Amino acid sequence: MEVDVQAASACLSGESPPLLLDVREQNERDYCNLGEGLHIPTGEIPFQWESLPRDQHILVYCHHGMRSHRVTLFLRERGFQKVQSMKGGIDSWSREIDPEVPRY
């Protein structure tokens, strides 16, 4: 259900990258993000989850991985089988993959 940032990076640079789902607040996303993808803050997921594609691999991320883990559980309970949380969030991404992504 979780992937570390190295596996996430490999997945994102692969032939069929997952859909990135950023569940942080807008001010966090404005500060830094991992690029293209969807942005649905955690508090909005209960109202917007049905719009997500069930047949596509979804990689959920947040700041440290806690919100994305909760969202992943929420989606799995609703039948999403191809959803994973990025362990450590964008903070781990910045420390281990791309130091150009600002930390906060």
Side-chain angles (χ1 to χ4, degrees), residues 46-104:
F47 309 105
Q48 297 187 37
W49 67 272
E50 291 180 287
S51 67
L52 295 171
R54 289 181 178 269
D55 60 341
Q56 189 173 353
H57 179 198
I58 301 172
L59 181 60
V60 186
Y61 77 96
C62 64
H63 187 201
H64 286 115
M66 290 177 250
R67 287 175 282 180
S68 61
H69 184 77
R70 285 195 316 267
V71 168
T72 298
L73 285 173
F74 178 89
L75 293 174
R76 291 230 172 173
E77 288 169 356
R78 282 148 185 83
F80 287 78
Q81 296 178 356
K82 298 178 179 182
V83 61
Q84 293 178 299
S85 172
M86 188 169 74
K87 188 175 183 178
I90 198 167
D91 189 62
S92 287
W93 184 275
S94 178
R95 285 185 288 112
E96 299 177 37
I97 303 297
D98 184 0
E100 296 292 317
V101 173
R103 293 184 69 202
Y104 61 100

